[in-house]
Amino acid sequence: MKYGYAGNILKIDLSKNHIIKLPSENYTEKFLGGRGLAAKLFWDLVPSYAKAYDPENCFICVNGPTAGFNGFAGNRWQVCAKAPAGKTEAFSYANFGGRWGTILKYAGYDGLVVQGKAAQPVYILIDNEKVEIRNASSLWSKSTFEVCDLLKAELGKKISILTIGQAAENLVSFASLLADDGASGSGGLGGVMGSKLLKAIVVTGNNRPEAAHPEELQNLAARIKQMRKRTYSVATPWAVPGVTKPHICYGCGLGCARQTYIYKGKRYKSFCQAAGVYVQPEEHKIPPGENQRLATRLCDGYGLDASVMMAMIPWLKACYQEGLLDEQKTGLPLSKIGSAEFIEKLTRKIACREGFGDILAKGTIEAAELIGEGAKALLSRFVAAKGNETKDYDPRLIPISVLLYATEPRRPIQQLHEPSMLLMMWLKWMRGDEDGFFTSNDFRKAAELFWGDPIAADFTTYKGKPLAAKKIQDRTYAKESMVLCDFKWPMTWAFYPGGHVGDPTLESRIFSAITGKDVDEDGLNRIGERIFNLQRAILLRQGWQGRQDDRVLDYYYREPLNENDVYFTPECEVMGLYGKATSLMGATLKEAAVENMKTEYYELRGWDAESGWRKI
Ligand code: SF4
C-alpha cells in the first residue's frame, strides 16, 4: 500500500471467470483516482463499438486518494460505464456516499473493473486477497434491501454491499444502484450491472491507508473545521421533527443537512433529492410525510433513480390533467397521485416493465415521444436535461450552467452546485435572513478567486461565464477524482471573522499531505482539465458530435422562466450589476449569445471553435 493508494486494480471477466490484478500506479500518476481513474480504464479497455449492455462494456467502481481519511468529506466513490442515461447511450457516472468505496480500498484495491457477462446470476465476494464469483440465483428478483439482509445473514454484518434491484435486472434505462448506508447511484448504471447478471458486489477488508504527512493533514482538518464550524442552513424540508435525525456519512467528519430515520427497525435516508421524489411542486415547503418516505424506500428498493422519478411523477399528473393519459390505458390510479397506492403501483410497474410501465421504463423524454406532441410539450415544466433528471439549477437563471449542462451527457450535479450554492448564500443575505452573511462583495470576491473574474457573479450577463464554466469543470473533475463530496467542496465560503470568501488551495494541500506528491492548486486543476478532456474524447469516440451536440434542451430557448421554476428562488432573483437583486422571471436563452459563449469557451479550452473538437 502506497501513501493514499492501495496499489492495485482488480479486473474480473465474468464471461471467462477470470480474475487479475493491475498495478494502479500506471493510472493514478496522471489521473489521480475516482472519475479520472475510471475514465482512463474505460478509454483503454472498452472498444468504441460496445453498447451499454454488451459484455465488452466495463462496469468500473473506483475510490480516490482521500478515501480512508477522516475529516474531509472525502470518502466518496464513483461508478462509471457506458449507460443509457438518456435516449442515447454515453459514458456515465455516479457519485456515492456510504462506506463501500472506502472498504474496497481497505481490501487492497483502488478500483474494480467488471467486464463480460456471467452465465447465470452471480455476486462477487472480495475479502482482502480472496476474490470469488459466487452463484446469486437465490438473490435474483429480490429488492436491494432484501439482498442486503440475505447477504448479511449469510456473511456477517461487517460486509459492505453494492447491489441492484428488479429495475436493473429488467434493464430499466434509469435503474440505479444501492450500497449500504442508503447510498444510491444514478446515471442509468444499474442496468449495466443487471446486463452482466451481476446482482451484488460484497467487500470486506482491513488495510488502512497511511498519509505521507499526517501532521499536515491534521492541521488541514482543523482548519477546515474552523472554516465550517457552523453548517450552512440550506432549507431542509426533509428534516421532520420527531422522525428524522442528522446523520453524517462514513468518514466525513464534517456533516451537512443529511438526515436518516428508523422504519420497522431499519435505518433509511431522508435527504435532498431522495426525500423530494414524491413531493409535488406545490408542496415544496411542507415537510414530507410517510408517503414521501415510502416513495424513497420503494425507489431505492426497486433501484429507480429518484432524480428521474421526481420529474416523471408531476409530468404524469400534468398529462392526466390535460386528458393525455387516463387510468384505464395506463393501469395507474392517476387521480390518486400523492397516495401510497399510486406510488406502489407506479414503481412496481416500471421496475417490472409491466404494461404502461414498459413505456415509462424508457425514461420520461422517450415516453413523451411515444405518447405524442401534447405530452412532449409538458416536458419543459419538469425535465432538466438529456438524462431525464428533474429541473433544479436552471440555465436561464444561472448562465454558467448553460455550458455545464451543454457539454455533459447527463445533469452534472457536482458542477451545478458550485454556482447555485453561492447564489443561495447570497440570496439569504440579500433577503435579510437571520443566517444570511454572504454579501455582494463576498460574492464578487469569491467569483474572482474561484471563477477568474468578479463579473462571473453577475448572473444578468454572459460575460465571464465561459472562463467560470471551465474553471468549475476543471476543479470538479479533480474533486471527483479525489473523491470529495460536493456538499462541502470546493470551500468557496467560510465563517471567517471579517470575511467570508473560502480557500481554493485546500484540495491540492490535502492531496499533497496524503500522497506526498508536490501538487499546488494550478497543478491539481490541470489534472482536472486532463480528465475532463479525456471524458470529452470518450464522448466523441462514442458519437457525440462536438459543437452540434453541445446544447441544452431546446425549450430553454423558447419558453420563459416562470415563477417557481427554481425551488430556492421562486421570484427568479439573482445578483445583477453592482450587487443589485434582479429578477430573471420571463428570461429565455438567446441563441446567438449562447453560441458566442461556446466559441469563447472552446478557445479557452484550446479546442477548435468550429467543431468543438480538440485541436491536434
Ligand atoms: S458533507 Fe454530507 S453528504 Fe457529504 S459526505 Fe459529509 S455527511 Fe455525507
Side-chain angles (χ1 to χ4, degrees):
M1 184 156 301
K2 299 229 167 111
Y3 294 127
Y5 292 103
N8 294 302
I9 294 158
L10 189 61
K11 184 167 177 290
I12 299 178
D13 189 323
L14 292 176
S15 301
K16 299 177 185 154
N17 265 324
H18 198 213
I19 302 170
I20 57 165
K21 277 188 202 171
L22 308 169
S24 53
E25 207 174 13
N26 299 348
Y27 294 89
T28 51
E29 190 63 34
K30 282 191 168 171
F31 298 94
L32 295 182
R35 179 91 69 87
L37 171 58
K40 183 67 171 106
L41 286 162
F42 187 92
W43 177 261
D44 287 353
L45 299 173
V46 180
S48 56
Y49 60 80
K51 296 208 172 82
Y53 298 149
D54 285 350
E56 290 87 350
N57 192 15
C58 286
F59 181 80
I60 305 171
C61 308
V62 275
N63 51 48
T66 50
F69 298 94
N70 198 5
F72 305 101
N75 281 266
R76 309 283 300 190
W77 52 287
Q78 301 238 338
V79 173
C80 297
K82 188 174 195 182
K87 200 176 164 190
T88 45
E89 295 186 346
F91 179 77
S92 187
Y93 42 84
N95 177 314
F96 293 72
R99 70 185 64 216
W100 192 95
T102 302
I103 307 294
L104 183 69
K105 184 184 277 187
Y106 294 170
Y109 308 101
D110 299 308
L112 163 70
V113 180
V114 184
Q115 205 162 19
K117 178 179 178 178
Q120 63 190 5
V122 294
Y123 76 92
I124 294 170
L125 174 68
I126 303 167
D127 178 358
N128 295 293
E129 285 285 308
K130 189 177 89 180
V131 181
E132 290 174 15
I133 302 167
R134 293 185 166 188
N135 190 312
S137 300
S138 61
L139 302 176
W140 205 249
S141 306
K142 299 272 191 270
S143 77
T144 58
F145 297 125
E146 288 170 318
V147 171
C148 290
D149 287 348
L150 288 164
L151 285 171
K152 286 196 173 176
E154 187 188 334
L155 301 167
K157 292 214 161 123
K158 281 197 177 156
I159 56 168
S160 197
I161 303 165
L162 171 66
T163 187
I164 51 170
Q166 297 93 325
E169 293 174 6
N170 294 316
L171 308 183
V172 171
S173 69
F174 53 96
S176 61
L177 304 152
L178 194 94
D180 37 13
D181 304 329
S184 54
S186 51
L189 293 155
V192 180
M193 206 167 147
S195 72
K196 297 187 178 304
L197 297 184
L198 176 60
K199 185 66 179 175
I201 307 171
V202 178
V203 287
T204 177
N206 42 25
N207 302 297
R208 301 261 169 170
E210 281 177 25
H213 306 297
E215 268 178 39
E216 169 64 2
L217 202 58
Q218 255 181 4
N219 293 340
L220 285 163
R223 175 167 158 73
I224 288 162
K225 260 216 161 104
Q226 177 73 9
M227 287 171 74
R228 291 293 170 95
K229 59 181 183 283
R230 276 193 278 146
T231 301
Y232 164 55
S233 66
V234 206
T236 48
W238 52 84
V240 186
V243 179
T244 68
K245 284 194 176 148
H247 197 265
I248 297 180
C249 294
Y250 176 80
C252 169
L254 296 171
C256 62
R258 189 176 193 273
Q259 303 260 322
T260 60
Y261 65 96
I262 304 291
Y263 177 78
K264 294 194 177 168
K266 280 199 192 147
R267 185 177 293 283
Y268 295 94
K269 68 179 177 238
S270 175
F271 188 35
C272 197
Q273 204 158 264
V277 67
Y278 200 31
V279 178
Q280 300 302 293
E282 64 275 14
E283 298 168 349
H284 265 305
K285 290 195 175 136
I286 305 170
E290 174 46 27
N291 284 353
Q292 277 81 37
R293 287 189 287 281
L294 168 70
T296 310
R297 293 197 299 273
L298 286 165
C299 285
D300 279 353
Y302 283 120
L304 292 166
D305 181 349
S307 69
V308 174
M309 294 296 289
M310 197 171 168
M312 182 183 279
I313 295 168
W315 168 78
L316 282 170
K317 187 174 180 179
C319 287
Y320 174 66
Q321 286 168 340
E322 301 270 327
L324 302 164
L325 292 174
D326 65 41
E327 297 193 328
Q328 206 188 351
K329 277 195 203 132
T330 59
L332 290 168
L334 293 164
S335 59
K336 296 182 194 163
I337 291 182
S339 68
E341 181 191 348
F342 174 79
I343 193 69
E344 278 165 355
K345 273 211 172 128
L346 178 71
T347 48
R348 195 194 62 241
K349 270 182 173 290
I350 298 173
C352 301
R353 303 193 82 133
E354 285 170 8
F356 186 65
D358 186 49
I359 291 177
L360 297 178
K362 299 174 196 295
T364 316
I365 296 175
E366 210 174 332
E369 279 168 10
L370 292 169
I371 293 164
E373 285 306 315
K376 266 168 72 179
L378 291 171
L379 287 173
S380 61
R381 282 164 49 189
F382 311 105
V383 176
K386 298 158 191 152
N388 291 296
E389 299 98 335
T390 189
K391 268 168 70 168
D392 39 29
Y393 307 115
D394 197 300
R396 291 167 296 187
L397 185 88
I398 304 173
I400 304 169
S401 300
V402 178
L403 293 163
L404 307 183
Y405 272 113
T407 50
E408 291 283 345
R410 52 166 307 204
R411 183 183 60 151
I413 191 70
Q414 290 83 9
Q415 297 170 35
L416 298 172
H417 275 154
E418 190 174 324
S420 53
M421 290 286 178
L422 281 187
L423 175 59
M424 282 185 227
M425 307 266 300
W426 174 79
L427 284 167
K428 274 176 166 289
W429 170 79
M430 187 274 295
R431 289 171 185 151
D433 288 0
E434 209 180 310
D435 58 349
F437 59 86
F438 197 70
T439 65
S440 302
N441 214 17
D442 291 332
F443 199 170
R444 272 193 297 264
K445 278 189 190 159
E448 185 169 17
L449 195 60
F450 285 85
W451 303 340
D453 192 330
I455 193 80
D458 175 354
F459 286 8
T460 62
T461 170
Y462 288 172
K463 277 188 202 149
K465 305 307 182 283
L467 179 61
K470 178 183 182 296
K471 282 182 167 280
I472 288 170
Q473 287 174 327
D474 294 349
R475 192 181 294 280
T476 301
Y477 274 69
K479 173 178 85 177
E480 291 278 286
S481 302
M482 284 180 65
V483 179
L484 297 164
C485 180
D486 70 305
F487 278 99
K488 288 290 170 211
W489 297 94
M491 297 264 173
T492 47
W493 58 272
F495 291 110
Y496 294 132
H500 301 293
V501 179
D503 183 347
T505 68
L506 290 167
E507 294 95 316
S508 57
R509 288 160 64 193
I510 292 169
F511 178 75
S512 292
I514 289 175
T515 62
K517 293 176 185 175
D518 193 13
V519 177
D520 62 8
E521 182 197 348
D522 286 346
L524 192 67
N525 289 340
R526 273 197 302 278
I527 298 175
E529 180 175 25
R530 178 187 298 141
I531 296 165
F532 181 80
N533 279 332
L534 176 60
Q535 184 181 294
R536 177 80 171 179
I538 291 171
L539 293 173
L540 293 171
R541 191 168 74 170
Q542 290 175 343
W544 188 280
Q545 293 296 306
R547 181 164 194 141
Q548 196 183 315
D549 278 348
D550 291 338
R551 271 187 81 80
V552 294
L553 297 181
D554 279 343
Y555 74 80
Y556 292 118
Y557 293 90
R558 256 189 348 253
E559 297 185 22
L561 187 65
N562 277 317
E563 194 176 358
N564 291 320
D565 264 347
V566 185
Y567 72 96
F568 61 86
T569 173
E571 319 79 14
C572 309
E573 278 180 314
V574 295
M575 190 172 98
L577 198 58
Y578 308 119
K580 198 168 161 259
T582 309
S583 173
L584 291 182
M585 187 102 65
T588 53
L589 294 186
K590 304 286 176 273
E591 186 89 44
V594 170
E595 290 307 310
N596 285 341
M597 228 180 9
K598 278 163 68 176
T599 299
E600 188 183 334
Y601 169 83
Y602 297 144
E603 281 165 359
L604 287 165
R605 285 228 166 270
W607 298 352
D608 175 56
E610 206 176 316
S611 64
W613 287 62
R614 186 138 194 233
K615 287 182 198 159
I616 300 171

